[in-house]
Every structure is written in C-alpha cells, then in structure tokens.
Amino acid sequence: MTNPNIPRSEEPAGELAFPFPSLGGEDLQAYNTLVSTLYRCLHDNTGFQPFFDAFQHRFKAMQGGILGLTSNPQRMVYGWTFGYPEGFEEWYINSDLPERDEALTRFVRLPPRQFDSFLRGDTSRTVFDVLAPESQTRVWAEQVGMGDSAGMLATRENGTNVVFIANRHKEFGPYTTDELLQMNLLAPHIENAVALHLKLYETRSDNENLAMALNHVKKPLIVFNALGNIAQANDAALTLMESSSSLSITGSERLQSADRRITRQLQDAITTCIVHSHKGILSPQTVFTSRGHERIAVCLTPLIAESAENNGVLAELFCFDTSLEPDQQRLQALFQCTPAEAAVAADLAQGLSASDVADRKQISIHTARQHIKNLLAKNGYRKQTELVSMLVRALG
C-alpha cells in the first residue's frame, strides 16, 4: 500500500512530501544506534563500514554505498561501498555504466536530504516496471535479484554530487513507506557525516611536510588525496609536465592529459586505487599518454594510511622515447624470461595491449596471451596490471 502524500511520478521533481514519522520502542533504539554508529565512523579508520553494516541489518539492504560523482559526464571519482562482489568496483569505475545508471541518475536529481526509492512501497509493481527495457541497470537488477533501490543526494559541492544508495533483494520486497520515512530521519545525519568526512580528507594531510618529503626524491612523484585531488606534486613532476605538454594539472587540482580519452583513463585508474586503498589492496594501475616520440607512463599505487582519511594514491611518472628500443636483455635478466617473452614484455611496457602485441609481432592473439601468462607465472604476479607496472619501473 502506498502513501498518498508521496508523488507517483517516475522522475522525482521538487520537494517530496514525506510526513514526519514518530518512533518508539525498537524503532527508536535502532535509529539511535544508526546515528551513533554513523558519527563514530568519523573517529576511526574503517571509513563508513560500521554504518553500512548497521544499515544493512536494519533495512535488509544487500549492497550500496556512498559515491562521489562528477557531472557531464557522470563518473565515479571516489566512494565507499558494501555488499558488491570482489572486483566489482574496479569494473564499474572503468566502464561507462555510471553515465547510464538509472538509480544514480534518479537520486542525483533529488532535493538534498531526501530519500526516495524506485517503488516507494508499492507492492503491486517491481523494479522492472520502472527500469527502461534495454538499460544496463535492468541487466544488473536481473543478475543480482534486485527488488528495489533507495537513495539520497547527500551533498553537492565543488562540482561533485555525493549520493548514498542502497539496493535490496527481491525476497524482502520493496522498501516500505515507513522504512523510507525512517531513512529520512537519518538523511540530515548522513549529510552531516559525509560533509565532515570530506573536510577531514581535505585538511588532515600536512601538504607542506609532504612537499618537503617528495622533493627529496629526484624522480617525478605526485600524491593524490582520497578525493582524487592532487595533494602535492614534487619539483621533478612539475618540470616534466612543463616540458612535455602531454600532462598538466587542472585548476581543480586534478591530473589531466592533452587527450580527453586518456584523462578519463587517468581518473578511472586513480579512483580504482582510492577504492583499493579503503580495502587494503595494493594493486597498481598504469596509464600511458604520448605525444610524438614521447610517452609518459603514470604508475599509480594505493596509499594506505593508519587513518582512512589519509589514504590516497602515489603516482610515479616515467618518460620514454618510443623511437628507442627497450633493453630486452635487461628484461630477460630481471624477469627470467625467454627472448620471445622479453619482446612481448617490452611492448607491454610501452602501453600495448595483448591484441596490439599480436598485431605488431604478427603472431596470434593466443600466442601473445600465452607469453603474458608465462611472464605472470614466472614472476609471481596475479594481474597484468601488476606486471606492466613492474616492467615500466624496470625500464624507467
């Protein structure tokens, strides 16, 4: 049964008229627990996970999180998530799904501090009555058995929309109007906690001391904070960017390439590393940008601090002249590989994919992939991204 005060239009517009609920007994105790857990997240190094755990238990949510999204295009730039399978966030960040995610698009358009859901307590419908027939959100909903999705716009600041989202499995039915009303009591607290958390991320790092530390290292280094903004770039990195013109720093303290496609790859890789830092994963990412014979490899590694608000990403910049052949003998010695494998390794270190290697070497894609598998196995790497990062460092 739906509440007559809740508008039934598919697209949210203007303030939604939710009555103010009264809480008592177990509901009041659960609400107080959620609020105290939420604010306690500001004092330890576990991010928002304790709040997510309590929210999941209270509202039977299966997955979701707090996501920072740019506009035009809508891209994820940082976030804290719960309930998704391993590797999902990395896949999601590096796809174009955020631009076509109907739930995120819906919740970004809401007034601040206002929860809404697809079904709004209507048990006569399913999410498939609301989602577009050919949408990727519909495909995901079918795969995971999603029954409803609730969310709110937590804050909008400096061109970034921060959205809280919580999906629910179909076995629990849609979020009820009473549950949405209880979520709306939490909404201003979620807004406050997110705003405070973002300020902590922006202010807790000592940039002056960081600059002094980075400038002791002569190779080009950049450190990003947990919002994906540049906390500090050392003199070597600034000099390289000035001379190369293929990389630069925007007015909003983000790293960009002269190629918009590469800029997007950079931002996706930085965001992936930020998500990995929250999970304690040190998996590196490497992005290549080039102009003429010059190619710069940006090797990104998650930084995991004692306190989560000091997490971030370290970028090492390596400049190569693509007109010069990589030292394959050095690669053979360092990576215990055959001449054929070293030749493939040299191509990987210049940013080529397996299919690029196959075309360049005039070999089958199967052979190229087998050489890469051999390189991974001989050197103890699980992912090609780890191998490429080490190849770049070896040649740089």
Side-chain angles (χ1 to χ4, degrees):
M1 188 159 179
T2 58
N3 189 306
N5 291 320
I6 301 175
R8 292 293 302 274
S9 61
E10 297 304 324
E11 293 297 332
E15 292 289 340
L16 302 183
F18 284 85
F20 193 83
S22 60
L23 296 179
E26 291 183 4
D27 287 343
L28 180 60
Q29 183 177 352
Y31 168 78
N32 289 334
T33 299
L34 280 164
V35 171
S36 62
T37 303
L38 176 63
Y39 285 116
R40 198 161 58 244
C41 292
L42 299 174
H43 300 289
D44 60 31
N45 63 356
T46 55
F48 287 100
Q49 191 58 52
F51 173 70
F52 292 153
D53 291 341
F55 188 95
Q56 276 186 282
H57 178 73
R58 176 61 182 168
F59 295 107
K60 299 181 178 64
M62 66 174 176
Q63 60 197 197
I66 296 171
L67 310 180
L69 306 163
T70 58
S71 300
N72 300 319
Q74 183 168 275
R75 306 288 299 168
M76 179 177 165
V77 289
Y78 57 83
W80 302 264
T81 61
F82 65 91
Y84 292 102
E86 183 178 355
F88 172 84
E89 292 95 337
E90 182 174 352
W91 168 78
Y92 185 78
I93 291 164
N94 290 278
S95 71
D96 61 357
L97 288 180
E99 298 171 49
R100 297 180 283 129
D101 191 313
E102 290 183 64
L104 293 181
T105 300
R106 182 187 188 93
F107 301 141
V108 162
R109 294 175 181 172
L110 288 172
R113 304 174 301 282
Q114 179 65 75
F115 268 96
D116 191 19
S117 78
F118 277 107
L119 298 180
R120 297 171 179 166
D122 187 349
T123 57
S124 68
R125 300 188 302 164
T126 72
V127 290
F128 302 108
D129 296 320
V130 180
L131 297 172
E134 304 301 324
S135 73
Q136 287 295 321
T137 308
R138 187 186 185 95
V139 173
W140 172 253
E142 290 173 342
Q143 288 179 347
V144 301
M146 192 171 82
D148 200 3
S149 181
M152 66 169 281
L153 174 65
T155 184
R156 180 180 285 127
E157 188 175 349
N158 298 325
T160 301
N161 299 309
V162 182
V163 173
F164 179 92
I165 186 171
N167 298 330
R168 191 180 208 177
H169 195 273
K170 61 185 178 183
E171 71 175 288
F172 297 113
Y175 289 108
T176 66
T177 53
D178 186 58
E179 287 174 320
L180 288 173
L181 292 173
Q182 291 181 42
M183 289 181 195
N184 276 306
L185 284 180
L186 286 171
H189 296 292
I190 294 174
E191 179 195 35
N192 291 340
V194 168
L196 288 169
H197 215 283
L198 297 183
K199 290 300 179 187
L200 288 173
Y201 272 106
E202 291 172 352
T203 59
R204 284 207 179 177
S205 62
D206 187 337
N207 284 352
E208 186 175 342
N209 288 341
L210 180 59
M212 291 176 60
L214 290 184
N215 280 324
H216 279 295
V217 182
K218 298 306 179 184
K219 66 179 179 180
L221 297 176
I222 300 173
V223 171
F224 300 86
N225 65 19
L227 303 181
N229 297 324
I230 293 175
Q232 196 61 244
N234 70 0
D235 290 343
L238 295 174
T239 299
L240 174 60
M241 285 187 281
E242 286 173 8
S243 63
S244 75
S245 74
S246 61
L247 283 176
S248 61
I249 299 173
T250 69
S252 56
E253 300 301 317
R254 293 190 178 273
L255 186 64
Q256 69 175 2
S257 167
D259 184 330
R260 291 181 63 183
R261 181 179 58 86
I262 302 300
T263 297
R264 177 165 167 170
Q265 290 179 10
L266 278 168
Q267 188 56 65
D268 288 350
I270 292 165
T271 304
T272 299
C273 285
I274 290 169
V275 170
H276 282 170
S277 74
H278 296 325
K279 298 178 179 293
I281 299 171
L282 290 173
S283 181
Q285 305 283 316
T286 304
V287 178
F288 296 85
T289 183
S290 60
R291 270 197 170 184
H293 290 303
E294 177 195 75
R295 177 166 291 156
I296 296 177
V298 183
C299 292
L300 301 157
T301 305
L303 293 176
I304 302 172
E306 193 171 309
S307 296
E309 66 270 11
N310 291 328
N311 286 356
V313 181
L314 174 68
E316 301 168 78
L317 276 55
F318 298 91
C319 190
F320 299 92
D321 185 341
T322 57
S323 65
L324 303 176
E325 284 294 320
D327 188 342
Q328 294 189 22
Q329 287 188 334
R330 178 178 174 81
L331 290 175
Q332 278 185 255
L334 290 175
F335 292 88
Q336 308 170 47
C337 56
T338 67
E341 291 164 355
V344 170
D347 285 346
L348 293 176
Q350 294 190 59
L352 275 64
S353 66
S355 58
D356 294 333
V357 171
D359 291 342
R360 187 172 183 178
K361 294 283 187 286
Q362 295 296 297
I363 57 178
S364 71
I365 184 66
H366 173 77
T367 301
R369 286 175 176 159
Q370 188 58 53
H371 286 320
I372 293 170
K373 286 181 181 178
N374 292 343
L375 286 163
L376 291 169
K378 289 179 178 179
N379 294 280
Y381 300 123
R382 293 189 306 116
K383 296 181 179 180
Q384 188 172 323
T385 53
E386 297 173 353
L387 172 64
V388 170
S389 178
M390 293 309 298
L391 289 169
V392 168
R393 288 184 170 96
L395 293 176

Coordinates of all heavy atoms in Angstrom, one line a residue, residues 269-340:
A269 N 41.6 5.2 -13.2 CA 42.6 4.5 -12.5 C 42.9 5.0 -11.1 O 43.1 4.3 -10.2 CB 43.9 4.5 -13.4
I270 N 42.9 6.4 -11.0 CA 43.0 7.0 -9.7 C 41.9 6.6 -8.7 O 42.1 6.2 -7.6 CB 43.1 8.5 -9.8 CG1 44.4 8.9 -10.5 CG2 43.1 9.2 -8.4 CD1 44.4 10.3 -11.0
T271 N 40.7 6.6 -9.3 CA 39.5 6.2 -8.4 C 39.6 4.7 -8.0 O 39.3 4.4 -6.9 CB 38.2 6.5 -9.2 OG1 38.2 7.8 -9.7 CG2 37.0 6.1 -8.4
T272 N 40.0 3.9 -9.0 CA 40.2 2.5 -8.6 C 41.2 2.3 -7.5 O 40.9 1.5 -6.6 CB 40.7 1.7 -9.9 OG1 39.7 1.8 -10.9 CG2 40.9 0.2 -9.6
C273 N 42.3 3.0 -7.5 CA 43.3 2.9 -6.5 C 42.8 3.4 -5.1 O 43.1 2.9 -4.1 CB 44.6 3.7 -6.9 SG 45.6 2.9 -8.1
I274 N 41.9 4.5 -5.2 CA 41.3 5.0 -4.0 C 40.4 4.0 -3.3 O 40.5 3.7 -2.1 CB 40.5 6.3 -4.2 CG1 41.5 7.4 -4.6 CG2 39.7 6.7 -3.0 CD1 40.8 8.7 -5.1
V275 N 39.6 3.3 -4.2 CA 38.7 2.3 -3.7 C 39.6 1.1 -3.1 O 39.3 0.6 -2.0 CB 37.8 1.8 -4.8 CG1 37.0 0.5 -4.3 CG2 36.8 2.8 -5.1
H276 N 40.6 0.8 -3.8 CA 41.5 -0.3 -3.3 C 42.2 0.1 -2.0 O 42.3 -0.8 -1.1 CB 42.6 -0.6 -4.3 CG 42.2 -1.4 -5.5 ND1 42.9 -1.6 -6.6 CD2 41.0 -2.1 -5.7 CE1 42.3 -2.4 -7.5 NE2 41.1 -2.7 -6.9
S277 N 42.5 1.4 -1.8 CA 43.1 1.8 -0.5 C 42.2 1.6 0.6 O 42.6 1.2 1.7 CB 43.6 3.3 -0.6 OG 42.4 4.1 -0.5
H278 N 40.9 1.8 0.4 CA 39.9 1.6 1.5 C 39.8 0.1 1.9 O 39.4 -0.3 3.0 CB 38.5 2.1 1.1 CG 38.5 3.6 0.9 ND1 39.2 4.4 1.6 CD2 37.8 4.3 0.0 CE1 39.0 5.7 1.2 NE2 38.1 5.6 0.2
K279 N 40.1 -0.8 0.9 CA 40.0 -2.2 1.1 C 41.3 -2.9 1.5 O 41.4 -4.1 1.6 CB 39.4 -2.9 -0.1 CG 38.0 -2.4 -0.5 CD 37.5 -3.1 -1.8 CE 36.1 -2.6 -2.1 NZ 35.1 -3.1 -1.1
G280 N 42.4 -2.1 1.6 CA 43.7 -2.6 1.9 C 44.4 -3.3 0.8 O 45.3 -4.2 1.0
I281 N 44.0 -3.0 -0.5 CA 44.5 -3.7 -1.6 C 45.6 -2.8 -2.3 O 45.3 -1.7 -2.6 CB 43.4 -4.0 -2.7 CG1 42.4 -5.0 -2.0 CG2 44.0 -4.7 -3.9 CD1 41.1 -5.2 -2.9
L282 N 46.8 -3.4 -2.5 CA 47.9 -2.6 -3.1 C 48.1 -2.8 -4.6 O 49.2 -2.5 -5.1 CB 49.2 -2.9 -2.3 CG 49.2 -2.4 -0.9 CD1 50.5 -3.0 -0.2 CD2 49.2 -0.9 -0.8
S283 N 47.1 -3.2 -5.3 CA 47.2 -3.5 -6.7 C 47.4 -2.2 -7.5 O 46.6 -1.2 -7.4 CB 45.9 -4.1 -7.2 OG 46.0 -4.4 -8.6
P284 N 48.5 -2.1 -8.3 CA 48.8 -0.8 -9.0 C 48.0 -0.7 -10.3 O 47.4 -1.7 -10.8 CB 50.3 -1.0 -9.3 CG 50.5 -2.5 -9.5 CD 49.5 -3.1 -8.5
Q285 N 48.0 0.5 -10.9 CA 47.4 0.8 -12.2 C 48.4 1.6 -13.0 O 49.2 2.4 -12.4 CB 46.1 1.6 -12.0 CG 45.1 1.0 -11.1 CD 44.3 -0.1 -11.8 OE1 43.9 0.0 -13.0 NE2 44.1 -1.2 -11.1
T286 N 48.4 1.4 -14.3 CA 49.4 2.2 -15.1 C 48.6 2.7 -16.3 O 47.9 2.0 -17.0 CB 50.5 1.3 -15.6 OG1 51.2 0.7 -14.5 CG2 51.5 2.2 -16.4
V287 N 48.8 4.0 -16.6 CA 48.1 4.7 -17.7 C 49.3 5.4 -18.5 O 50.2 6.0 -18.0 CB 47.1 5.8 -17.2 CG1 46.5 6.5 -18.4 CG2 46.0 5.1 -16.4
F288 N 49.2 5.2 -19.9 CA 50.2 5.8 -20.8 C 49.6 7.0 -21.5 O 48.4 6.9 -22.0 CB 50.6 4.7 -21.7 CG 51.3 3.6 -21.1 CD1 50.6 2.5 -20.6 CD2 52.7 3.5 -21.0 CE1 51.2 1.4 -20.0 CE2 53.4 2.5 -20.4 CZ 52.6 1.4 -19.9
T289 N 50.4 8.0 -21.7 CA 50.0 9.1 -22.5 C 51.2 9.5 -23.4 O 52.3 9.4 -22.9 CB 49.5 10.4 -21.7 OG1 49.1 11.4 -22.5 CG2 50.6 10.9 -20.7
S290 N 50.9 9.9 -24.6 CA 52.1 10.1 -25.5 C 51.8 11.3 -26.5 O 50.6 11.6 -26.7 CB 52.4 8.9 -26.3 OG 51.2 8.5 -27.1
R291 N 52.9 11.9 -26.9 CA 52.9 12.9 -28.0 C 54.1 12.8 -28.8 O 55.2 12.8 -28.2 CB 52.8 14.3 -27.4 CG 51.4 14.8 -27.2 CD 51.4 16.3 -27.0 NE 50.0 16.8 -27.0 CZ 49.7 18.1 -26.9 NH1 50.6 19.0 -26.9 NH2 48.4 18.5 -27.0
G292 N 54.0 12.5 -30.1 CA 55.1 12.3 -30.9 C 55.9 11.0 -30.4 O 55.3 10.0 -30.2
H293 N 57.2 11.2 -30.2 CA 58.0 10.1 -29.8 C 58.1 10.0 -28.3 O 58.6 9.0 -27.7 CB 59.5 10.2 -30.3 CG 59.6 10.0 -31.8 ND1 59.2 8.8 -32.4 CD2 60.1 10.8 -32.7 CE1 59.5 8.9 -33.7 NE2 60.0 10.1 -33.9
E294 N 57.4 10.9 -27.6 CA 57.5 10.9 -26.1 C 56.3 10.1 -25.6 O 55.1 10.3 -26.0 CB 57.4 12.3 -25.6 CG 57.4 12.4 -24.1 CD 57.0 13.8 -23.6 OE1 55.7 14.1 -23.7 OE2 57.8 14.5 -23.2
R295 N 56.6 9.3 -24.6 CA 55.5 8.5 -23.9 C 55.8 8.6 -22.4 O 56.9 8.4 -22.0 CB 55.4 7.1 -24.4 CG 54.4 6.3 -23.6 CD 54.1 4.9 -24.3 NE 53.4 5.2 -25.6 CZ 53.5 4.3 -26.6 NH1 54.2 3.3 -26.6 NH2 52.8 4.6 -27.7
I296 N 54.7 9.0 -21.7 CA 54.8 9.0 -20.2 C 53.9 8.0 -19.6 O 52.8 7.8 -20.0 CB 54.4 10.4 -19.7 CG1 55.3 11.5 -20.2 CG2 54.4 10.4 -18.2 CD1 55.0 12.9 -19.8
A297 N 54.5 7.1 -18.8 CA 53.8 6.1 -18.1 C 53.5 6.7 -16.7 O 54.4 7.1 -16.0 CB 54.6 4.8 -18.0
V298 N 52.2 6.7 -16.3 CA 51.8 7.1 -14.9 C 51.5 5.8 -14.1 O 50.5 5.2 -14.4 CB 50.6 8.0 -15.0 CG1 50.3 8.5 -13.6 CG2 50.9 9.2 -15.9
C299 N 52.4 5.5 -13.2 CA 52.2 4.3 -12.4 C 51.6 4.7 -11.1 O 52.2 5.4 -10.3 CB 53.5 3.6 -12.1 SG 54.3 2.8 -13.6
L300 N 50.4 4.1 -10.8 CA 49.6 4.5 -9.6 C 49.6 3.4 -8.6 O 49.3 2.3 -9.0 CB 48.2 4.9 -10.1 CG 48.1 6.1 -11.1 CD1 46.8 6.0 -11.9 CD2 48.2 7.4 -10.4
T301 N 49.8 3.7 -7.4 CA 49.8 2.8 -6.3 C 49.0 3.3 -5.1 O 49.1 4.4 -4.7 CB 51.2 2.5 -5.8 OG1 52.1 2.1 -6.9 CG2 51.2 1.4 -4.7
P302 N 48.0 2.5 -4.6 CA 47.2 2.9 -3.5 C 48.1 3.2 -2.2 O 49.0 2.4 -2.0 CB 46.3 1.7 -3.2 CG 46.2 1.0 -4.5 CD 47.6 1.2 -5.1
L303 N 47.8 4.3 -1.5 CA 48.5 4.6 -0.3 C 47.5 4.3 0.9 O 46.4 4.8 0.9 CB 48.9 6.1 -0.2 CG 49.9 6.5 -1.2 CD1 50.1 8.0 -1.1 CD2 51.3 5.8 -1.0
I304 N 47.9 3.4 1.8 CA 47.1 3.0 2.9 C 47.7 3.6 4.2 O 48.8 3.2 4.6 CB 47.0 1.5 3.0 CG1 46.4 0.9 1.7 CG2 46.1 1.0 4.1 CD1 46.5 -0.6 1.6
A305 N 47.0 4.5 4.8 CA 47.5 5.2 6.0 C 46.9 4.6 7.2 O 45.9 3.7 7.2 CB 47.1 6.7 5.9
E306 N 47.4 5.0 8.4 CA 46.9 4.5 9.6 C 45.4 4.9 9.8 O 44.6 4.2 10.4 CB 47.7 5.0 10.8 CG 47.5 4.3 12.1 CD 48.5 4.7 13.2 OE1 49.7 4.6 12.9 OE2 48.1 5.1 14.3
S307 N 45.1 6.1 9.4 CA 43.7 6.6 9.4 C 43.2 6.7 8.0 O 43.9 7.2 7.1 CB 43.6 8.0 10.1 OG 44.0 7.9 11.4
A308 N 42.0 6.2 7.7 CA 41.5 6.1 6.4 C 41.4 7.4 5.7 O 41.5 7.5 4.5 CB 40.1 5.4 6.4
E309 N 41.2 8.5 6.4 CA 41.1 9.8 5.8 C 42.4 10.3 5.2 O 42.4 11.2 4.4 CB 40.5 10.9 6.7 CG 41.5 11.2 7.9 CD 41.2 10.4 9.1 OE1 40.5 9.4 9.0 OE2 41.8 10.7 10.2
N310 N 43.5 9.6 5.5 CA 44.8 9.9 5.0 C 45.2 9.0 3.8 O 46.3 9.1 3.3 CB 45.9 10.0 6.0 CG 45.7 11.1 7.0 OD1 45.2 12.2 6.6 ND2 46.0 10.9 8.3
N311 N 44.3 8.1 3.5 CA 44.5 7.2 2.3 C 44.7 8.1 1.1 O 44.2 9.2 1.0 CB 43.4 6.2 2.1 CG 43.4 5.1 3.2 OD1 44.3 5.0 4.0 ND2 42.4 4.2 3.1
G312 N 45.2 7.5 0.0 CA 45.4 8.2 -1.2 C 46.1 7.4 -2.3 O 46.0 6.2 -2.2
V313 N 46.7 8.1 -3.2 CA 47.4 7.4 -4.3 C 48.7 8.0 -4.6 O 48.8 9.3 -4.6 CB 46.5 7.5 -5.6 CG1 47.2 6.7 -6.7 CG2 45.1 6.9 -5.3
L314 N 49.7 7.2 -4.8 CA 51.1 7.7 -5.2 C 51.2 7.5 -6.7 O 51.0 6.4 -7.2 CB 52.2 7.0 -4.5 CG 53.6 7.3 -5.0 CD1 54.0 8.7 -4.6 CD2 54.6 6.3 -4.4
A315 N 51.6 8.5 -7.5 CA 51.8 8.4 -8.9 C 53.3 8.6 -9.2 O 53.9 9.6 -8.7 CB 51.0 9.4 -9.7
E316 N 53.9 7.7 -9.9 CA 55.3 7.8 -10.4 C 55.2 8.0 -11.9 O 54.5 7.3 -12.6 CB 56.1 6.6 -10.0 CG 56.2 6.2 -8.6 CD 56.7 4.8 -8.3 OE1 57.9 4.7 -8.4 OE2 55.9 3.9 -8.1
L317 N 55.9 9.0 -12.4 CA 55.9 9.4 -13.8 C 57.2 8.9 -14.4 O 58.3 9.3 -13.9 CB 55.7 10.9 -14.0 CG 54.3 11.4 -13.9 CD1 53.6 11.0 -12.6 CD2 54.3 12.9 -14.1
F318 N 57.1 8.1 -15.5 CA 58.3 7.7 -16.2 C 58.2 8.1 -17.7 O 57.1 7.9 -18.3 CB 58.4 6.1 -16.2 CG 58.5 5.6 -14.8 CD1 57.4 5.2 -14.1 CD2 59.8 5.4 -14.2 CE1 57.5 4.7 -12.8 CE2 59.9 4.9 -13.0 CZ 58.8 4.5 -12.2
C319 N 59.2 8.8 -18.2 CA 59.2 9.3 -19.6 C 60.1 8.4 -20.5 O 61.2 8.1 -20.1 CB 59.7 10.7 -19.6 SG 59.4 11.6 -21.1
F320 N 59.5 8.0 -21.6 CA 60.2 7.2 -22.6 C 60.3 7.8 -23.9 O 59.4 8.5 -24.3 CB 59.6 5.8 -22.7 CG 59.5 5.0 -21.4 CD1 58.4 5.1 -20.6 CD2 60.5 4.2 -21.1 CE1 58.3 4.4 -19.4 CE2 60.4 3.4 -19.9 CZ 59.3 3.5 -19.1
D321 N 61.3 7.5 -24.7 CA 61.4 7.9 -26.1 C 61.0 6.6 -26.9 O 61.8 5.7 -26.9 CB 62.8 8.3 -26.4 CG 62.9 8.9 -27.9 OD1 62.1 8.5 -28.7 OD2 63.9 9.6 -28.2
T322 N 59.9 6.6 -27.6 CA 59.4 5.4 -28.2 C 60.2 5.1 -29.5 O 60.0 4.1 -30.1 CB 57.9 5.6 -28.6 OG1 57.8 6.8 -29.4 CG2 57.1 5.7 -27.4
S323 N 61.1 6.1 -29.9 CA 61.9 5.8 -31.1 C 63.1 4.8 -30.7 O 63.8 4.3 -31.6 CB 62.4 7.1 -31.7 OG 63.3 7.7 -30.8
L324 N 63.3 4.7 -29.4 CA 64.4 3.8 -28.9 C 63.8 2.5 -28.5 O 62.8 2.4 -27.9 CB 65.1 4.5 -27.7 CG 65.7 5.9 -28.0 CD1 66.3 6.4 -26.7 CD2 66.8 5.8 -29.1
E325 N 64.5 1.4 -28.8 CA 64.1 0.1 -28.5 C 64.4 -0.2 -27.0 O 65.5 0.1 -26.5 CB 64.8 -1.0 -29.3 CG 64.3 -1.1 -30.7 CD 62.9 -1.7 -30.8 OE1 62.5 -2.6 -30.0 OE2 62.1 -1.1 -31.6
P326 N 63.4 -0.8 -26.2 CA 63.7 -1.1 -24.8 C 64.8 -2.2 -24.7 O 65.0 -2.9 -25.7 CB 62.3 -1.7 -24.4 CG 61.3 -1.2 -25.4 CD 62.0 -1.0 -26.7
D327 N 65.4 -2.2 -23.6 CA 66.6 -3.1 -23.3 C 66.0 -4.5 -23.0 O 65.7 -4.8 -21.9 CB 67.4 -2.6 -22.2 CG 68.7 -3.4 -22.0 OD1 68.8 -4.5 -22.5 OD2 69.6 -2.9 -21.3
Q328 N 65.9 -5.3 -24.1 CA 65.3 -6.6 -23.9 C 66.2 -7.6 -23.1 O 65.7 -8.5 -22.4 CB 64.9 -7.2 -25.2 CG 63.8 -6.5 -25.9 CD 63.3 -7.2 -27.2 OE1 63.4 -8.4 -27.3 NE2 62.7 -6.4 -28.1
Q329 N 67.5 -7.4 -23.2 CA 68.4 -8.2 -22.4 C 68.2 -8.0 -20.9 O 68.2 -8.9 -20.1 CB 69.9 -8.0 -22.8 CG 70.2 -8.6 -24.1 CD 71.7 -8.5 -24.4 OE1 72.4 -7.6 -23.9 NE2 72.2 -9.3 -25.2
R330 N 68.0 -6.7 -20.6 CA 67.7 -6.4 -19.2 C 66.4 -7.0 -18.7 O 66.3 -7.5 -17.6 CB 67.6 -4.8 -19.0 CG 67.3 -4.3 -17.6 CD 67.3 -2.8 -17.6 NE 66.9 -2.3 -16.3 CZ 67.6 -2.2 -15.2 NH1 68.9 -2.6 -15.3 NH2 67.1 -1.7 -14.1
L331 N 65.4 -7.0 -19.6 CA 64.1 -7.6 -19.2 C 64.3 -9.1 -19.0 O 63.7 -9.7 -18.1 CB 63.1 -7.3 -20.3 CG 62.6 -5.9 -20.4 CD1 61.7 -5.7 -21.6 CD2 61.9 -5.5 -19.2
Q332 N 65.1 -9.8 -19.9 CA 65.3 -11.2 -19.8 C 65.9 -11.5 -18.4 O 65.5 -12.5 -17.7 CB 66.2 -11.7 -20.9 CG 65.5 -12.0 -22.2 CD 66.5 -12.6 -23.2 OE1 66.9 -12.0 -24.1 NE2 66.8 -13.9 -23.0
A333 N 66.9 -10.7 -18.0 CA 67.6 -11.0 -16.8 C 66.7 -10.7 -15.6 O 66.7 -11.5 -14.6 CB 68.9 -10.1 -16.7
L334 N 65.9 -9.6 -15.6 CA 65.1 -9.2 -14.4 C 63.9 -10.1 -14.3 O 63.4 -10.4 -13.2 CB 64.7 -7.8 -14.5 CG 65.8 -6.7 -14.3 CD1 65.3 -5.3 -14.6 CD2 66.4 -6.8 -12.9
F335 N 63.3 -10.5 -15.4 CA 62.0 -11.2 -15.4 C 62.1 -12.7 -15.8 O 61.1 -13.3 -16.0 CB 61.0 -10.5 -16.2 CG 60.6 -9.1 -15.7 CD1 61.4 -8.0 -16.0 CD2 59.6 -9.0 -14.8 CE1 61.1 -6.7 -15.5 CE2 59.3 -7.7 -14.3 CZ 60.0 -6.6 -14.6
Q336 N 63.3 -13.2 -15.8 CA 63.5 -14.7 -16.0 C 62.7 -15.2 -17.2 O 61.9 -16.2 -17.1 CB 63.1 -15.4 -14.8 CG 63.8 -14.9 -13.5 CD 63.1 -15.6 -12.3 OE1 63.0 -16.8 -12.2 NE2 62.8 -14.8 -11.3
C337 N 62.9 -14.5 -18.4 CA 62.0 -14.9 -19.5 C 62.8 -15.2 -20.7 O 64.0 -14.8 -20.8 CB 61.0 -13.8 -19.8 SG 61.7 -12.2 -20.0
T338 N 62.2 -15.8 -21.7 CA 62.8 -16.1 -23.0 C 62.9 -14.8 -23.9 O 62.2 -13.8 -23.6 CB 62.0 -17.2 -23.7 OG1 60.7 -16.6 -24.1 CG2 61.8 -18.4 -22.9
P339 N 63.7 -14.8 -24.9 CA 63.7 -13.7 -25.8 C 62.4 -13.3 -26.4 O 62.0 -12.1 -26.5 CB 64.7 -14.1 -26.9 CG 65.6 -15.1 -26.3 CD 64.7 -15.8 -25.3
A340 N 61.6 -14.3 -26.7 CA 60.2 -14.0 -27.2 C 59.3 -13.4 -26.2 O 58.6 -12.4 -26.5 CB 59.6 -15.3 -27.7

